[in-house]
């Protein structure tokens, strides 16, 4: 077998959306001279499934290797920026993005310029700079639409929908996610279609449309069930649980939350796991178990604060305030609610108003 044949099979598997098959190919004996590429491809496979901690360690290894090629080092730096941004670690995300720019030099290829600009806009969004991120997304969207790059346009509209949702523009968010869905279908990209449905499910839920939310999350779950995207599957399960909880179907919601909890735990995703704990707390609270609810809300709050996740911290504070008030601890509840209000205003978000989150 030619040296590097396993790497070629891994590249092909990743292009087909089969990261587990890529990992299988990479288990073969690979020459030491190709170790950097092997590590990079292994990281890509883990990241595609949502295992960010495993991917991050390998990308860092590639980035630290003096013998790694420029493209591998730049791609690793950009991947690390994306991982940090996804986990709410904005400062390191910006640092890795600067490193990628430095590696690529003053005049990077057009494709790399686009990637750098997209990641920069996504980091702005992660930092809560919604108007700034939307301005950057609109420029990118115009370029992708003009080029008939439907897959990229679908992604940008999905990102725009999230920025609008978290800045309080629910009508705009729904419109963006629907437009994203249209472009995803033009691109015949089932994963992009699924994520558009995930966006629609979240925006519809916060807008007080739980039946629509359940429908959208259900469609996303069906599309993702045939993929190896563990993160997406967990996202869909948690979303379905939220919609069912909002409809008052607490038993089914609890089962969906438990499935999401197992998936997020397998990924080591502390922030999204905290959202599931918050949801399980809501189920316990509405089923008349304030002690269990309080335990879950406190667990969620601790994780959100550790990660610097402002929205999660605010909804946990307001939920914990309600749980304390329900058992007569009104002074403590009032103090928590005031704290939630301060945090919302500081972060310029509206989570304290999301009774239907």
């Amino acid at each position: 077998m030619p040296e590097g044949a396993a790497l070629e099979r891994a590249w092909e598997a990743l292009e087909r959306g089969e990261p587990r098959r890529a990992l299988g190919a990479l288990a073969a004996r690979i020459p030491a001279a190709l170790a950097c590429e092997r590590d990079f491809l292994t990281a890509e496979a883990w990241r595609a499934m949502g295992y960010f901690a495993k991917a991050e360690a390998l990308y860092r290894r590639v980035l630290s290797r003096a013998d790694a090629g420029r493209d591998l080092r730049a791609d690793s730096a950009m991947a690390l920026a994306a991982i940090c941004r996804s986990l709410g670690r904005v400062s390191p995300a910006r640092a890795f993005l600067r490193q990628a720019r430095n590696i690529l030099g003053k005049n990077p290829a057009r494709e790399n310029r686009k990637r750098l600009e997209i990641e920069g806009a996504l980091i702005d969004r992660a930092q809560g700079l919604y108007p700034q991120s939307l301005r950057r997304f609109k420029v990118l969207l115009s370029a992708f639409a003009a080029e008939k790059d439907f897959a990229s346009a679908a992604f940008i509209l999905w990102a725009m929908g999230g920025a609008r949702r978290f800045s309080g523009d629910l009508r705009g968010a729904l419109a963006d996610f629907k437009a994203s869905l249209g472009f995803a279908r033009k691109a015949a990209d089932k994963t992009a279609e699924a994520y558009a449905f995930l966006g629609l499910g979240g925006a519809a839920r916060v807008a007080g449309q739980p039946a629509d939310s359940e429908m959208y999350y259900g469609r996303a779950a069906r599309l993702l069930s045939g993929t190896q995207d563990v993160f997406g599957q967990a996202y869909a399960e948690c979303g379905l649980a939220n919609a069912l909880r909002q409809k008052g179907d607490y038993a089914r919601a609890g089962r969906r939350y438990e499935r999401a909890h197992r998936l997020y735990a397998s990924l080591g995703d502390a922030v999204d796991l905290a959202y599931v704990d918050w949801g399980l707390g809501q189920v316990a609270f509405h089923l008349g178990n304030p002690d269990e609810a309080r335990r879950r809300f406190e667990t969620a709050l601790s994780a959100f604060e550790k990660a610097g996740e402002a929205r999660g911290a605010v909804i946990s504070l307001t939920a914990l305030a309600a749980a304390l008030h329900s058992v007569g601890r009104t002074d403590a509840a009032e103090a928590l609610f005031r704290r939630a209000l301060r945090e919302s205003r500081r972060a310029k978000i509206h989570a304290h108003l999301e009774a239907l989150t």
Side-chain angles (χ1 to χ4, degrees), residues 13-29:
L14 286 170
E15 288 172 2
R16 293 194 304 269
E18 299 176 347
R20 291 193 187 281
R21 190 177 293 275
L23 289 173
L26 293 165
R29 184 182 297 276

Side-chain angles (χ1 to χ4, degrees), residues 88-344:
R89 291 152 46 193
V90 172
S91 292
R94 290 198 186 281
F96 281 122
L97 191 61
R98 283 194 300 272
Q99 192 169 357
R101 286 196 182 98
N102 291 337
I103 293 167
L104 291 168
K106 292 183 178 179
N107 295 300
R110 185 165 174 268
E111 186 62 30
N112 283 328
R113 285 200 306 273
K114 283 184 185 177
R115 293 170 64 200
L116 290 167
E117 181 61 22
I118 290 169
E119 189 56 46
L122 289 168
I123 292 172
D124 283 347
R125 189 185 76 152
Q127 192 175 342
L129 303 174
Y130 300 123
Q132 180 172 311
S133 70
L134 284 166
R135 285 193 295 272
R136 297 176 75 173
F137 286 139
K138 286 175 184 176
V139 173
L140 288 161
L141 178 61
S142 294
F144 289 137
E147 296 165 4
K148 298 191 185 315
D149 184 346
F150 300 137
S152 295
F155 178 80
I156 294 299
L157 280 159
W158 171 83
M160 289 175 67
R164 292 194 201 280
R165 174 192 163 184
F166 292 122
S167 59
D169 180 6
L170 298 178
R171 184 176 297 178
L174 287 165
D176 282 342
F177 288 132
K178 287 176 181 176
S180 176
L181 180 62
F183 276 113
R185 286 172 169 167
K186 285 183 180 180
D189 187 332
K190 293 297 184 184
T191 299
E193 189 176 339
Y195 275 82
F197 278 129
L198 290 173
L200 282 165
R205 186 182 71 250
V206 178
Q209 303 164 16
D212 286 348
S213 179
E214 182 184 4
M215 174 187 68
Y216 291 136
Y217 279 127
R219 290 180 180 179
R222 286 191 290 276
L223 286 167
L224 290 163
S225 66
T227 73
Q228 295 172 16
D229 184 352
V230 179
F231 174 83
Q233 292 165 5
Y235 190 162
E237 288 292 339
C238 186
L240 269 171
N242 283 329
L244 292 166
R245 171 183 52 77
Q246 197 167 310
K247 288 176 67 178
D249 192 343
Y250 298 115
R252 287 176 65 208
R255 290 194 291 272
R256 292 285 185 176
Y257 279 131
E258 293 292 354
R259 292 180 196 171
H261 202 281
R262 287 193 293 273
L263 290 169
Y264 281 133
S266 77
L267 295 171
D269 187 339
V271 170
D272 285 308
L273 196 62
Y275 276 110
V276 177
D277 276 315
W278 173 87
L280 285 165
Q282 291 286 356
V283 168
F285 183 66
H286 286 91
L287 290 177
N289 189 344
D291 290 337
E292 171 64 10
R294 188 170 68 251
R295 185 183 71 81
R296 290 284 188 178
F297 294 146
E298 287 172 347
T299 298
L301 178 60
S302 176
F304 286 134
E305 289 182 332
K306 183 177 181 181
E309 172 73 6
R311 177 177 175 269
V314 169
I315 65 172
S316 296
L317 285 166
T318 55
L320 188 54
L324 291 176
H325 180 59
S326 73
V327 294
R329 296 177 58 188
T330 301
D331 289 345
E334 289 280 6
L336 287 173
F337 188 83
R338 287 193 297 271
R339 183 176 153 199
L341 186 58
R342 286 195 304 272
E343 288 295 312
S344 283

